[in-house]
Amino acid sequence: MPSKKKNRGLKPLTRFDFGLILERMDGALINVERDLQRLVKRAEAMKDLKSARKLALLMVLVRFAANSFMSVRYLCADTPEDPKRKPNFALVVPAINRQLLDLLFSIVYMFDDINARSDMYERAGWREAYEQYQKEKTAFSRDPEWLPYFENVKSFLLNMEQALQITKNERDNPKTIPYWKHPFELKDEQTASRPFLRYLNNWLYHDTSAQTHLSCGGLIMISPFLLADLVGGQDQELVEGRAMPQYRYLHITRTVIVTLAIASEMDAYFRLRNEEKLKYIWNVLTEHSEEAKEMWQHRYEHLW
């Protein structure tokens, strides 16, 4: 039995039922993704291939966010019960949230100047793909089993070069095309959303990144969960019965919040008319999560 001394002053944990929002989240994500599909098809019908390409890219970002959301739901679910699903599996969720936050930073920054910055994003992507192709070709070009792969990548890169108007000089010297900046750099760019990006960095991205990279500080944050069974006794009970549920709630909620933010950005920018569904989810979350409340107040309360 835990000692009264260790539990003195600790209030009972309040359980949040994610079932209150999961069905609505699924519906909102499906709606946003389908609406973007519709815009892609409309752009293609109008022979506006540049807009169709950019919209297709954003649709992929929404699909990635939805896939991450569903993955965390499965990994950290309480039901159906599965003895192979361990509470400590939640320790990988910050890595997923780091990816989602990277996407959110990029989307917010791009939407401040979509035409110029989406080009920058795609051209940086071409440079990374081209440099990877050159590295692999240098290492494996003599292996005949690699030849079909190289032909496919070469064709893909050529299509990208034509669509993005990559010049011969840029192809000969890819370093002339800047890499896309990381969130830590984007937060300092002179852009309309700079205050929000700085808020995201200070209050969500910094500690999420530390746990993802397993810096010493990040490792310290998660070490109690990895060592609790070795310590045993009342300390183990406190970690497993209180600290772990709190940790899981924090990071699962971040997955929901950032995924919801990505969907909200898309919906508001393209006026997809899913705002009532999205606002309902925000309102439920703000009643149970301070981070959701702060994000709502910083941006999404006024985004539409």
Side-chain angles (χ1 to χ4, degrees), residues 43-109:
E44 290 174 339
M46 297 173 64
K47 307 300 182 184
D48 186 356
L49 299 184
K50 183 175 181 179
S51 293
R53 188 185 74 246
K54 294 182 184 300
L55 287 161
L57 172 65
L58 294 171
M59 184 180 68
V60 170
L61 300 187
V62 170
R63 284 196 160 197
F64 183 89
N67 184 73
S68 298
F69 170 68
M70 289 186 288
S71 300
V72 171
R73 279 174 56 183
Y74 177 80
L75 190 66
C76 299
D78 293 321
T79 56
E81 293 185 7
D82 184 348
K84 294 182 179 180
R85 187 190 289 128
K86 308 298 184 184
N88 275 5
F89 287 178
L91 297 179
V92 305
V93 176
I96 297 172
N97 289 345
R98 158 76 189 270
Q99 292 178 320
L100 290 171
L101 283 164
D102 279 0
L103 285 188
L104 182 57
F105 269 85
S106 293
I107 291 167
V108 170
Y109 181 71

Side-chain angles (χ1 to χ4, degrees), residues 129-146:
Y130 183 78
E131 289 177 339
Q132 181 67 21
Y133 166 73
Q134 292 294 336
K135 182 173 67 175
E136 292 173 343
K137 190 175 181 183
T138 299
F140 305 114
S141 60
R142 294 182 181 181
D143 187 341
E145 293 188 2
W146 279 76

Side-chain angles (χ1 to χ4, degrees), residues 2 15 26 37 61 63 69 110 112 124 144 150 158 173 181 210 214 224 231 246 255 266 272 275 287 299:
R15 182 180 176 85
D26 289 338
Q37 280 190 47
L61 300 187
R63 284 196 160 197
F69 170 68
M110 274 195 286
D112 282 345
F150 288 135
L158 181 60
N173 186 16
K181 293 183 177 180
L214 283 187
V231 175
Q246 290 175 313
T255 304
M266 299 289 182
L272 303 179
E275 63 266 30
E287 294 177 2
R299 185 168 179 87

Side-chain angles (χ1 to χ4, degrees), residues 48-260:
D48 186 356
L49 299 184
K50 183 175 181 179
S51 293
R53 188 185 74 246
K54 294 182 184 300
L55 287 161
L57 172 65
L58 294 171
M59 184 180 68
V60 170
L61 300 187
V62 170
R63 284 196 160 197
F64 183 89
N67 184 73
S68 298
F69 170 68
M70 289 186 288
S71 300
V72 171
R73 279 174 56 183
Y74 177 80
L75 190 66
C76 299
D78 293 321
T79 56
E81 293 185 7
D82 184 348
K84 294 182 179 180
R85 187 190 289 128
K86 308 298 184 184
N88 275 5
F89 287 178
L91 297 179
V92 305
V93 176
I96 297 172
N97 289 345
R98 158 76 189 270
Q99 292 178 320
L100 290 171
L101 283 164
D102 279 0
L103 285 188
L104 182 57
F105 269 85
S106 293
I107 291 167
V108 170
Y109 181 71
M110 274 195 286
F111 280 176
D112 282 345
D113 188 358
I114 185 67
N115 289 326
R117 292 177 182 176
S118 61
D119 277 347
M120 292 166 55
Y121 186 79
E122 291 182 274
R123 287 167 68 83
W126 172 85
R127 175 184 171 180
E128 291 183 29
Y130 183 78
E131 289 177 339
Q132 181 67 21
Y133 166 73
Q134 292 294 336
K135 182 173 67 175
E136 292 173 343
K137 190 175 181 183
T138 299
F140 305 114
S141 60
R142 294 182 181 181
D143 187 341
E145 293 188 2
W146 279 76
L147 293 180
Y149 168 77
F150 288 135
E151 288 300 318
N152 288 335
V153 175
K154 183 179 179 180
S155 176
F156 170 75
L157 289 171
L158 181 60
N159 290 335
M160 285 190 72
E161 289 167 20
Q162 293 172 346
L164 299 172
Q165 299 180 341
I166 302 294
T167 66
K168 183 180 183 302
N169 179 61
E170 289 170 333
R171 192 176 186 277
D172 293 340
N173 186 16
K175 292 181 180 179
T176 58
I177 298 176
Y179 288 127
W180 186 251
K181 293 183 177 180
H182 297 295
F184 187 76
E185 299 168 303
L186 289 178
K187 71 176 175 59
D188 292 327
E189 290 291 296
Q190 295 297 329
T191 189
S193 300
R194 185 181 184 186
F196 179 62
L197 295 180
R198 288 190 161 187
Y199 156 76
L200 282 180
N201 181 73
N202 289 336
W203 291 104
L204 273 79
Y205 192 81
H206 186 268
D207 71 291
T208 300
S209 183
Q211 292 181 60
T212 300
H213 288 297
L214 283 187
S215 65
C216 186
L219 195 59
I220 289 171
M221 293 180 197
I222 65 173
S223 60
F225 308 118
L226 299 172
L227 301 175
D229 62 322
L230 299 179
V231 175
Q234 295 162 355
D235 289 321
Q236 180 181 0
E237 292 179 14
L238 194 60
V239 168
E240 294 178 350
R242 188 174 187 88
M244 176 49 74
Q246 290 175 313
Y247 181 94
R248 291 176 75 237
Y249 172 77
L250 172 65
H251 293 286
I252 295 170
T253 302
R254 283 186 179 180
T255 304
V256 177
I257 293 170
V258 181
T259 303
L260 181 61

